[in-house]
Amino acid sequence: MNNMSQVPVTVLTGFLGAGKTTLLNRILTEQHGQKYAVIVNEFGEQGIDNDLVVDADEEVFEMNNGCICCTVRGDLIRILGGLMKRADKLDAIIVETTGLADPAPVAQTFFVDQDVSDKTKLDAIVTVADAVHLSSQLGEHHEAEEQIAFADVVLLNKIDLVDDKAVKNVQTRIRKINPYAKIIKTNHCSAPLTEVLGLNAFSLDRVLEVEPDFLESDHDHEHDDDVTSLSFVSDTPLEMDKFQAWFGNLLQEKGQDILRSKGILNFEGRDDRYVFQGVHMLMDASPMGPWPAGKDRSSRVVFIGRNLETMNLQEGFEGCKVA
């Protein structure tokens, strides 16, 4: 089947908190005249990212309870199969992986599954990298290294938070792992979308140089067993002062072990939903507009990290509820 009849797919990857959802929201809101379908994968039982993705005309499919490169790969194939039945209405597909995904098995799906390979074409693997934390992530998590190794484009994000020397050092680390990828320095993933989408940049030959067994269907992928996730839901409103005090202390004391924290919060006396996103000890929070009509006002938080069971997270979260 020639390329003109295949739907291009961009795999959007990057470690926890690098800025993937920020980039995805730009893709969904900028005026580019393209029609995208988006597949979002999360690590953990409570889906948050689907609510952090802006309301748009595009369809968003969410896969929870597993890593896209492992247990839910069948879901990916199933969703792609459904999309292909109306491929004439799509310009492209975007797959956003969990921050703990090795992109190799995801990319492999587009070559080893015959139906998928007939009807889709892997356009590029775009990796969002956190300029603040990437160096330490590369030393601690093989997934972070795989995400760089398989990238066609690396968006080196959050460069406003580090000095020029640190940026150069991070670029050097990236180049040692992947001398081929284009590196684009950004804040808030502000690179032109023409440098991210529609690149026709994925090279199977180059990938086979990095990983000769790439096309073997039993591609092995082991996660860091020390990394787990915990999530909590509350239908009872939270007290803002209590939450800020608890969460601030938590990040100060345990932030090194909290790789990622995020949530959507219902504060007493506030009409807006509040969203927070954290990486280690850095945290950003802001209102994200009114609660949608007819939507339950429940608070949901997710933590991904090490030693979470020792942090009394549920007790702390429960203590923020309105008495």
Side-chain angles (χ1 to χ4, degrees):
M1 186 172 283
N2 63 48
N3 285 349
M4 291 303 292
S5 58
Q6 293 172 297
V7 178
V9 179
T10 298
V11 173
L12 177 57
T13 188
F15 205 70
L16 298 163
K20 297 185 296 298
T21 302
T22 299
L23 176 58
L24 187 57
N25 281 337
R26 282 197 51 231
I27 294 170
L28 294 179
T29 54
E30 289 195 6
Q31 298 300 312
H32 43 58
Q34 300 291 297
K35 179 70 174 176
Y36 296 110
V38 179
I39 302 171
V40 178
N41 178 219
E42 293 192 62
F43 183 85
E45 295 178 5
Q46 273 299 318
I48 295 288
D49 284 356
N50 202 25
D51 286 319
L52 298 181
V53 174
V54 295
D55 293 328
D57 292 336
E58 281 76 8
E59 293 173 277
V60 178
F61 299 87
E62 188 176 27
M63 296 187 295
N64 292 345
N65 264 338
C67 174
I68 197 170
C69 56
C70 302
T71 56
V72 298
R73 185 167 169 189
D75 289 350
L76 174 62
I77 293 172
R78 177 180 54 78
I79 292 172
L80 288 169
L83 289 173
M84 289 307 96
K85 293 175 182 175
R86 45 201 168 82
D88 58 327
K89 296 181 173 64
L90 290 175
D91 292 298
I93 299 169
I94 299 167
V95 179
E96 182 195 0
T97 75
T98 165
L100 291 171
D102 176 348
V106 183
Q108 182 195 52
T109 304
F110 296 93
F111 295 91
V112 299
D113 186 274
Q114 192 62 52
D115 287 341
V116 172
S117 64
D118 281 348
K119 297 170 184 174
T120 65
K121 174 174 70 77
L122 184 55
D123 184 76
I125 296 177
V126 177
T127 298
V128 183
D130 182 337
V132 179
H133 296 107
L134 182 64
S135 292
S136 61
Q137 290 163 352
L138 290 172
E140 296 176 10
H141 304 281
H142 69 274
E143 291 96 347
E145 187 166 334
E146 294 288 306
Q147 290 163 1
I148 296 295
F150 280 88
D152 299 297
V153 175
V154 176
L155 292 189
L156 186 55
N157 199 30
K158 307 184 186 180
I159 60 169
D160 56 325
L161 301 179
V162 293
D163 59 28
D164 289 344
K165 182 179 179 183
V167 171
K168 288 179 181 177
N169 289 341
V170 174
Q171 284 182 290
T172 300
R173 290 290 301 275
I174 293 171
R175 279 277 164 258
K176 283 183 178 178
I177 297 169
N178 185 340
Y180 304 102
K182 181 177 182 179
I183 300 175
I184 304 171
K185 293 183 287 187
T186 70
N187 294 317
H188 305 293
C189 293
S190 58
L193 295 184
T194 53
E195 298 188 21
V196 177
L197 301 173
L199 304 177
N200 195 25
F202 185 84
S203 167
L204 182 59
D205 290 339
R206 181 180 74 76
V207 168
L208 290 172
E209 287 180 23
V210 176
E211 192 153 337
D213 66 346
F214 172 71
L215 292 179
E216 294 181 12
S217 60
D218 60 347
H219 188 289
D220 190 34
H221 174 50
E222 295 294 332
H223 283 293
D224 182 348
D225 290 335
D226 293 338
V227 177
T228 59
S229 74
L230 287 176
S231 54
F232 308 106
V233 180
S234 172
D235 293 326
T236 303
L238 308 180
E239 290 189 28
M240 181 178 282
D241 290 345
K242 285 184 179 179
F243 183 86
Q244 288 176 331
W246 167 66
F247 200 74
N249 288 334
L250 177 67
L251 292 189
Q252 259 192 328
E253 295 173 8
K254 306 291 187 181
Q256 280 301 113
D257 281 341
I258 300 175
L259 302 177
R260 187 79 167 98
S261 55
K262 54 187 173 181
I264 297 172
L265 306 173
N266 175 30
F267 287 124
E268 183 185 35
R270 310 275 174 153
D271 291 329
D272 280 346
R273 293 177 290 174
Y274 278 74
V275 58
F276 76 88
Q277 304 205 47
V279 181
H280 289 301
M281 296 171 184
L282 297 177
M283 196 267 284
D284 179 55
S286 61
M288 64 176 296
W291 289 89
K295 188 178 180 73
D296 291 338
R297 295 192 176 197
S298 61
S299 298
R300 289 178 289 148
V301 299
V302 174
F303 296 92
I304 301 172
R306 296 189 183 87
N307 306 313
L308 297 180
E309 66 283 352
T310 68
M311 298 181 190
N312 298 319
L313 294 175
Q314 183 162 6
E315 181 182 344
F317 182 65
E318 295 286 332
C320 299
K321 294 181 180 180
V322 173

